[in-house]
Amino acid sequence: MFDKTVNSAFKDSGLLEYLISKDENKLIIAGLQTEYCIDTMVKCGFEHGFEMIVPEHGNTTIDNNFMTAENSYKYYNVFVWPYRYAKCISLKETRNFMGNKKYHKKRNQSIRLISFLLLLNKNQIHFSS
């Protein structure tokens, strides 16, 4: 488990070093909150050279003063991330990719799912890989 206190889980958490030591190059991102932690992780992961994968309906948010939750979700998952920072794919494609042992064995790779859990009592976000 890695602790983070800012939007990017790569900043001062040890996650980047861990993933590099494991020779990982693809990350599947899921969790809360689309326009904060998820957007930051997608863009920072991309900048660190990871292939970022976002499963359909794998992130969520709430309404804000500018957009409904549905419009925020569409804005990032349909407009901002695809063809720029991440592959936004269906759950079926994600499951197929994760279950393709031949693909991962051939490349001596595994795939990590980074999931975010907000622990409100500590005002921190914890994640595990």
Side-chain angles (χ1 to χ4, degrees), residues 5 21 58 61 70 83 110 129:
T5 57
S21 76
T61 191
E70 180 182 0
Y83 310 108
S110 60
S129 63

Side-chain angles (χ1 to χ4, degrees), residues 13-95:
S13 67
L15 176 64
L16 179 61
E17 296 77 10
Y18 172 79
L19 293 171
I20 290 170
S21 76
K22 298 294 184 184
D23 199 29
E24 299 294 344
N25 61 6
K26 293 175 176 52
L27 298 177
I28 297 175
I29 303 296
L32 298 170
Q33 183 169 0
T34 302
E35 69 273 25
Y36 292 111
C37 296
I38 302 301
D39 181 51
T40 302
M41 282 298 300
V42 166
K43 291 175 180 172
C44 289
F46 171 82
E47 288 180 354
H48 285 297
F50 295 100
E51 180 181 338
M52 305 304 289
I53 300 168
V54 180
E56 183 179 37
H57 304 297
N59 60 87
T60 190
T61 191
I62 58 173
D63 292 348
N64 61 49
N65 292 336
F66 304 100
M67 285 192 268
T68 64
E70 180 182 0
N71 285 340
S72 292
Y73 174 87
K74 288 178 183 176
Y75 177 71
Y76 288 97
N77 289 268
V78 176
F79 177 70
V80 174
W81 298 331
Y83 310 108
R84 293 182 181 108
Y85 304 103
K87 289 183 180 178
C88 296
I89 60 177
S90 70
L91 288 174
K92 182 178 180 180
E93 291 173 290
T94 304
R95 282 192 308 269

Side-chain angles (χ1 to χ4, degrees), residues 95-111:
R95 282 192 308 269
N96 289 342
F97 180 76
M98 291 177 73
N100 189 344
K101 294 177 184 173
K102 184 177 178 182
Y103 171 85
H104 299 297
K105 187 175 181 180
K106 179 178 172 184
R107 290 169 176 78
N108 195 25
Q109 296 171 336
S110 60
I111 189 129

